[in-house]
Amino acid sequence: MKPVLSVVKIGGAFLEEPGLVESFTSAFASLEGHKILVHGGGQRATALSRRLGVEPRVVDGRRITDADSLEVAVMVYAGWANKTLVARLQSLGCNALGVSGADAGLIRALKRPAGEIDYGFVGDIASVNAPGIANLLAAGIVPAFCALTHDGRGQLLNTNADTIASELAVAMSDKFTTRLLYCFEKAGVLRDVSDPGSVIPRIDAAAYADLRAKGKVAAGMLPKLHNCFQALEKGVDQVFIGAPEMLTPGHAIQTEITL
Amino acid sequence: MKPVLSVVKIGGAFLEEPGLVESFTSAFASLEGHKILVHGGGQRATALSRRLGVEPRVVDGRRITDADSLEVAVMVYAGWANKTLVARLQSLGCNALGVSGADAGLIRALKRPAGEIDYGFVGDIASVNAPGIANLLAAGIVPAFCALTHDGRGQLLNTNADTIASELAVAMSDKFTTRLLYCFEKAGVLRDVSDPGSVIPRIDAAAYADLRAKGKVAAGMLPKLHNCFQALEKGVDQVFIGAPEMLTPGHAIQTEITL
């Protein structure tokens, strides 16, 4: 039987408040088996950009990563956010090691070609170094990825954290029974966004098509759900969306995504 | 016979200019055998602090690390400086993995107790996780340390990069023949600071005492030489001070420190 590997993505919003960092890291540390953390760092990067007079550029709701924005992202994601999480996890007995995709060549990406929009230093994942990650896991290490990759030619690139999580889960699914868990501020995908109790326990492809047709999926949830289905189609065993509490044993409220 | 391990420290000044980063990383990548990089990041942190209105506090020539300064140090050292070096080394085929002392619990420190001066979030090294580092080296990884540690209770701490390099070399000397190499902007310790050609090829304890008595050692060089002798006394096999060119095969100009 293949060993179990949980890939947990935590949104950047959780890094804004010390209380949320504490509750998330405690839940993550308690999770049994092999595990990988992937974190965003969004709002803090925006705040630092503003303080430095680097105005974030957004086109059609997509952030543009120019050279100054990349520097800010690297400082916040790989620096403050990553090391704060790692130090906290270490204090809880969880042997975290913080990485970007450049470290040990773990995730290589291609700079997105400029089309109608030039996204700047944004990378789409080209390959995941699964043996390198397996080596770290075998050494009892818990890799903690920030949302940065590299092109193998010395250039760091900004890469969506949700996508990093799903691609990692996919790449490891040959050797591990992989569980992909997207943690965010709600208890799951809601039937009614104004009712936090309306968590949908299970969404399969048919239910997803139905929800989309009825315009019932929040805009921000669409790419997340797309990542979930892609991960399942490419071999990931289980996919969940919910609050960090879903990482603790016995917790039942969450949304499971199935094919 | 024990395998050879080189611990190379590069000063923060080298990170200021892309040309210097390139020449250093090329020299480091060409170095054969197991190796560890340790880097500073000083001037860039000072510049970022100024831009953010965080005025660096210096008492008796020693930098004080308050909470804001620590955040800047983590962003610059563990973020920009570390990941820029790692991405560049990866592009040269050197399998670098950037770490702080918090990552994989590699270096634990104690917050320096406040005496006449309260240094703030500054850590003195308490222990090095030699088996953890040996595991990374055995996996073909080149650890690249920034000048940050942790206290094991969730607090990141600023720690002198020269000291990190010497303590790493000492801790690994049980299992490896360790070489400690301090790279900086000069070709070695100079007999006459105004003459770059006056490199002293070898300084032993007697010569060091003599140089000090004559007031011939630059103030900044004293703690570095102190680290060198401490490392040798604690089991490090060879210690060198010089320019990055000393990492390349056949290069003869450098200062060797011996007991």
Side-chain angles (χ1 to χ4, degrees):
Chain A
M1 225 173 64
K2 294 193 280 189
V4 174
L5 168 67
S6 303
V7 178
V8 177
K9 190 263 173 172
I10 182 75
F14 272 84
L15 304 172
E16 307 298 318
E17 285 182 43
L20 290 178
V21 172
E22 287 202 20
S23 63
F24 168 72
T25 49
S26 297
F28 181 79
S30 75
L31 187 62
E32 298 207 348
H34 293 299
K35 54 196 172 185
I36 292 174
L37 176 62
V38 181
H39 66 86
Q43 294 172 48
R44 202 177 186 101
T46 306
L48 179 63
S49 291
R50 293 240 159 85
R51 280 180 73 188
L52 293 171
V54 177
E55 202 54 39
R57 278 183 57 215
V58 177
V59 176
D60 291 347
R62 299 279 196 151
R63 189 183 295 202
I64 308 299
T65 307
D66 57 19
D68 285 342
S69 302
L70 180 70
E71 186 173 342
V72 167
V74 174
M75 291 197 295
V76 172
Y77 301 171
W80 187 247
N82 192 263
K83 297 315 168 201
T84 302
L85 281 168
V86 165
R88 168 85 190 146
L89 288 168
Q90 284 286 338
S91 77
L92 297 167
C94 172
N95 193 21
L97 187 159
V99 290
S100 71
D103 296 287
L106 295 179
I107 308 176
R108 191 175 287 214
L110 289 171
K111 186 169 182 289
R112 190 174 298 168
E116 280 187 31
I117 302 175
D118 180 354
Y119 290 99
F121 295 104
V122 167
D124 296 309
I125 295 174
S127 61
V128 172
N129 175 1
I133 294 170
N135 276 346
L136 294 176
L137 296 172
I141 285 171
V142 176
F145 282 84
C146 65
L148 294 163
T149 57
H150 74 142
D151 69 355
R153 298 200 303 268
Q155 181 62 56
L156 293 162
L157 296 166
N158 207 343
T159 297
N160 180 275
D162 282 2
T163 310
I164 287 180
S166 61
E167 293 285 343
L168 285 172
V170 168
M172 303 313 289
S173 61
D174 272 357
K175 305 273 190 205
F176 293 86
T177 297
T178 46
R179 306 167 72 226
L180 174 60
L181 302 109
Y182 285 109
C183 293
F184 73 147
E185 63 279 11
K186 289 174 182 140
V189 182
L190 303 180
R191 197 173 301 280
D192 172 0
V193 286
S194 64
D195 176 8
S198 66
V199 174
I200 308 172
R202 188 166 163 277
I203 299 177
D204 62 15
Y208 176 50
D210 188 50
L211 284 167
R212 276 211 309 191
K214 290 180 180 154
K216 285 217 168 178
V217 187
M221 188 53 76
L222 280 172
K224 204 182 280 289
L225 283 167
H226 177 76
N227 273 329
C228 295
F229 284 108
Q230 280 234 316
L232 288 166
E233 279 162 15
K234 291 181 184 169
V236 173
D237 296 277
Q238 287 188 298
V239 180
F240 300 95
I241 297 178
E245 288 73 26
M246 74 173 163
L247 303 179
T248 55
H251 188 82
I253 304 168
Q254 65 216 359
T255 300
E256 178 165 10
I257 314 297
T258 59
L259 285 179
Chain B
M1 225 173 65
K2 294 192 280 187
V4 174
L5 168 66
S6 303
V7 178
V8 178
K9 190 262 174 172
I10 182 75
F14 272 84
L15 304 172
E16 307 298 318
E17 285 183 42
L20 291 177
V21 172
E22 286 201 20
S23 62
F24 169 70
T25 50
S26 297
F28 181 78
S30 74
L31 187 63
E32 299 207 348
H34 293 299
K35 54 196 172 186
I36 292 174
L37 175 62
V38 182
H39 67 85
Q43 293 173 46
R44 202 178 187 100
T46 306
L48 179 63
S49 291
R50 293 239 158 86
R51 280 179 73 188
L52 292 171
V54 176
E55 202 55 38
R57 278 184 57 214
V58 177
V59 176
D60 290 348
R62 298 279 196 154
R63 190 184 293 204
I64 307 300
T65 307
D66 57 18
D68 286 341
S69 302
L70 180 70
E71 187 173 342
V72 167
V74 174
M75 291 197 295
V76 173
Y77 301 171
W80 186 248
N82 192 263
K83 297 315 168 201
T84 302
L85 281 168
V86 165
R88 168 86 189 146
L89 287 169
Q90 283 287 337
S91 77
L92 297 167
C94 171
N95 193 22
L97 187 159
V99 289
S100 71
D103 296 285
L106 295 179
I107 307 175
R108 191 174 286 214
L110 290 171
K111 185 170 182 290
R112 192 174 298 168
E116 279 186 33
I117 302 176
D118 180 355
Y119 290 98
F121 295 105
V122 167
D124 296 309
I125 295 174
S127 61
V128 172
N129 175 1
I133 294 170
N135 275 345
L136 295 176
L137 295 172
I141 285 171
V142 176
F145 284 83
C146 64
L148 294 163
T149 57
H150 75 143
D151 69 355
R153 298 200 304 268
Q155 181 63 56
L156 293 162
L157 296 166
N158 208 344
T159 297
N160 181 273
D162 283 1
T163 310
I164 287 180
S166 61
E167 292 284 343
L168 285 172
V170 167
M172 303 312 290
S173 61
D174 272 358
K175 305 272 191 211
F176 293 85
T177 297
T178 46
R179 305 167 72 224
L180 174 59
L181 303 108
Y182 285 109
C183 293
F184 73 147
E185 63 279 11
K186 288 173 184 142
V189 181
L190 304 180
R191 196 173 301 278
D192 171 2
V193 286
S194 64
D195 176 8
S198 66
V199 174
I200 309 173
R202 189 166 163 278
I203 299 178
D204 62 14
Y208 177 50
D210 188 49
L211 285 167
R212 273 212 310 191
K214 290 181 181 155
K216 286 218 167 178
V217 187
M221 188 55 75
L222 280 173
K224 203 181 280 288
L225 284 167
H226 178 76
N227 273 327
C228 294
F229 284 108
Q230 280 235 316
L232 288 166
E233 280 162 14
K234 291 181 183 171
V236 173
D237 297 277
Q238 287 188 297
V239 180
F240 299 96
I241 297 177
E245 288 74 25
M246 73 172 163
L247 304 179
T248 55
H251 188 82
I253 304 168
Q254 64 215 359
T255 300
E256 178 166 9
I257 314 297
T258 59
L259 285 180

